[in-house]
Amino acid sequence: MRYPEFLKENGTIGFVTPSCGAATEPYYSAFNNALKKFQSLGYSTKLGPNCYASDGIGISSTPENCGREINEAMTASDSDVLISCGGGELMCEILDYVDFDRIMQAAPKWFMGYSDNTNLTLLLPTLCDTASIYGPCAGAFGMEPWHSSVHDALDLLCGKNLTAHSYDRWEKERFKTEENPLAPYHTTEPVVLKPFGIGNAAETGEIRFHGRLLGGCTDCLVNLTGTKYDRVREFSEKYAQDGIIWFLESCDLNVFSIRRAMWQMKHAGWFSHVKGFLIGRPLCFGQEMMGLDQYAAVWEPLKEFGVPVIMDVDLGHLPPQMPLICGSLADVSLHRTKELEDWKLEIAMRLG
């Protein structure tokens, strides 16, 4: 696995827009404030050509333009790390214009983003053997004040802290709007992790497992399954000795779509050599359809693997989110709090 150099003091942060950008509110103001925040911390900023573009459908510009932007930014020396401007809908369409061979031959560079950016955060490790960061997009750095998870994402990008952990509360109702673009996360709901398949750990109060992190937004992952970009089985075989820890979250999928996605990825062989699953809160949190809820949607297809499945993890579209290095080795620790009323999650990432 190739690991890029971390962001150094007074380094240059590049911003790219392979999905949607900062053309409209609240994204425009949030992005501009993020630039000011980074600059106030001593970093230089380098904007790609599509950051404010809006001539695309479901993405910032045409697939050709977005692919060209990624090729140049990933291989140029004018930025040290890259952060995606935002998520979107049709980033998959740029993949035919991304030169993964060229990226593989260049020095590795960190790319950070989530949601639709799964199309790169997954493919960089599985196609280019290059680690990426599944973490917040640029707009999150424009909030006032920063949530601790945003500080954690920058610390990870700088290599200051390679440990992720669960937070105390999560955001059920979003306060960020066009009129209030810099609103911080409105975290009101207690984080309650729900572990499945942990056996005696429920009594002992601790479980640990190890493996190599891989995952992202299930909406995007299942769309890639079976395409020419799907090299997940080969990746799993290459790192079979380490095993894979899958981290998964979802955006537009309802509970039945989530269950179908688990079935499809399972039957595509994606979960061979799995050591455990980290499942983020789905955007359809609390939904039940025809007797199926978000927990059964995941647990029933995955229980046959006999590994821990930890649900309602701080990942994805219901913030805050733990930033994770996709492709890195990880030691996962789940333990009871002193009060033995709930669980806390810690993930120590290793560059190996």
Side-chain angles (χ1 to χ4, degrees):
M1 180 61 56
R2 303 195 310 160
Y3 295 99
E5 290 189 15
F6 290 108
L7 179 63
K8 294 180 173 61
E9 186 176 356
N10 300 321
T12 300
I13 303 173
F15 296 92
V16 290
T17 319
S19 190
C20 289
T24 60
E25 294 291 3
Y27 313 107
Y28 179 83
S29 293
F31 178 61
N32 287 338
N33 200 53
L35 296 178
K36 294 178 183 177
K37 299 278 279 189
F38 283 125
Q39 291 162 3
S40 71
L41 293 172
Y43 299 109
S44 298
T45 54
K46 169 71 176 179
L47 274 61
N50 299 318
C51 288
Y52 298 105
S54 61
D55 57 312
I57 298 176
I59 52 177
S60 60
S61 189
T62 64
E64 295 92 333
N65 287 342
C66 292
R68 186 181 305 114
E69 180 184 39
I70 289 298
N71 293 335
E72 295 303 319
M74 289 293 296
T75 58
S77 59
D78 56 2
S79 64
D80 301 309
V81 300
L82 298 175
I83 302 177
S84 177
C85 282
E89 298 293 341
L90 292 175
M91 185 175 163
C92 58
E93 293 186 354
I94 83 166
L95 297 179
D96 291 341
Y97 304 97
V98 175
D99 191 339
F100 289 102
D101 288 336
R102 179 181 171 186
I103 293 172
M104 179 65 176
Q105 292 167 9
K109 182 182 293 190
W110 288 115
F111 171 85
M112 182 167 74
Y114 85 110
S115 190
D116 206 21
N117 293 283
T118 298
N119 287 284
L120 272 186
T121 58
L122 178 86
L123 296 187
L124 285 171
T126 57
L127 297 185
C128 302
D129 214 38
T130 300
S132 61
I133 298 177
Y134 197 75
C137 295
F141 295 91
M143 71 173 66
E144 295 284 3
W146 281 5
H147 185 271
S148 59
S149 64
V150 178
H151 285 284
D152 291 342
L154 182 57
D155 283 348
L156 178 59
L157 201 57
C158 295
K160 293 180 180 179
N161 184 8
L162 303 187
T163 300
H165 60 85
S166 55
Y167 300 96
D168 293 330
R169 294 183 178 275
W170 61 278
E171 179 185 79
K172 186 175 184 179
E173 182 183 5
R174 181 183 182 187
F175 274 17
K176 183 176 180 178
T177 63
E178 292 182 10
E179 295 75 25
N180 192 16
L182 308 185
Y185 295 147
H186 180 228
T187 53
T188 60
E189 307 302 306
V191 171
V192 181
L193 299 173
K194 296 187 180 300
F196 293 75
I198 60 173
N200 292 333
E203 300 176 2
T204 62
E206 185 174 25
I207 186 169
R208 298 177 182 273
F209 54 95
H210 317 277
R212 193 170 291 272
L213 290 168
L214 197 64
C217 180
T218 304
D219 310 44
C220 302
L221 296 173
V222 75
N223 189 55
L224 292 170
T225 307
T227 69
K228 67 179 182 179
Y229 301 105
D230 179 1
R231 304 284 178 82
V232 171
R233 290 185 66 179
E234 293 91 330
F235 182 89
S236 298
E237 291 297 328
K238 179 177 181 179
Y239 294 106
Q241 187 173 354
D242 302 324
I244 304 297
I245 298 173
W246 279 96
F247 63 92
L248 304 168
E249 54 98 5
S250 61
C251 179
D252 294 331
L253 305 184
N254 64 32
V255 290
F256 279 107
S257 299
I258 291 171
R259 184 147 170 173
R260 285 191 292 266
M262 297 298 160
W263 182 93
Q264 184 172 349
M265 290 186 287
K266 177 175 70 174
H267 285 277
W270 280 30
F271 301 148
S272 59
H273 309 296
V274 66
K275 293 295 188 68
F277 294 91
L278 304 173
I279 309 296
R281 292 178 294 270
L283 199 57
C284 67
F285 187 91
Q287 182 185 70
E288 183 173 330
M289 299 174 66
M290 299 171 64
L292 182 70
D293 64 15
Q294 67 197 59
Y295 306 109
V298 173
W299 173 241
E300 290 299 324
L302 300 185
K303 63 182 180 182
E304 68 183 65
F305 295 102
V307 299
V309 180
I310 306 172
M311 299 200 213
D312 291 350
V313 173
D314 290 320
L315 287 169
H317 290 76
L318 291 175
Q321 61 173 307
M322 303 181 298
L324 297 177
I325 299 178
C326 193
S328 73
L329 291 166
D331 301 309
V332 176
S333 172
L334 182 71
H335 59 274
R336 290 281 196 185
T337 61
K338 293 180 180 179
E339 296 79 11
L340 299 180
E341 293 178 354
D342 57 9
W343 296 89
K344 292 296 182 183
L345 179 67
E346 185 172 284
I347 304 169
M349 292 166 279
R350 294 179 285 120
L351 308 186

